Amino acid sequence: MVRQTVDFEERYGISIDRLKSIEEVDACVEKKAGVRLRVVAASSGMTDRAGNVLSIKSYDIDGLLDKALR
């Protein structure tokens, strides 16, 4: 947790102790990014059922290895 706070403070140039609400955090991130943050539904095409932004693929490593060695 401490390292994540230090990363935030270095990236956005503000002490996390000065921010009192999530709206203030959002405003800080929006100001630095230069774009407005958008909240999307968990069921949108950007996220999978588990809430991951990047989909997780499952591979049969043993099958792929067997096929490669033939």
Side-chain angles (χ1 to χ4, degrees):
M1 175 83 178
V2 173
R3 182 66 199 154
Q4 292 171 345
T5 301
V6 171
D7 287 341
F8 179 87
E9 290 175 351
E10 288 176 356
R11 179 174 292 171
Y12 297 104
I14 190 169
S15 173
I16 197 75
D17 296 331
R18 293 183 52 205
L19 304 173
K20 303 296 182 205
S21 67
I22 193 67
E23 288 82 13
E24 290 180 2
V25 173
D26 289 348
C28 179
V29 172
E30 288 173 351
K31 182 178 176 184
K32 180 72 172 185
V35 294
R36 183 143 174 88
L37 295 178
R38 293 184 317 142
V39 177
V40 295
S43 62
S44 73
M46 291 181 62
T47 59
D48 64 8
R49 296 179 82 195
N52 299 310
V53 174
L54 302 175
S55 61
I56 299 172
K57 292 189 177 186
S58 178
Y59 293 101
D60 177 18
I61 299 297
D62 293 328
L64 290 172
L65 183 61
D66 289 342
K67 188 175 180 181
L69 293 175
R70 289 184 188 181

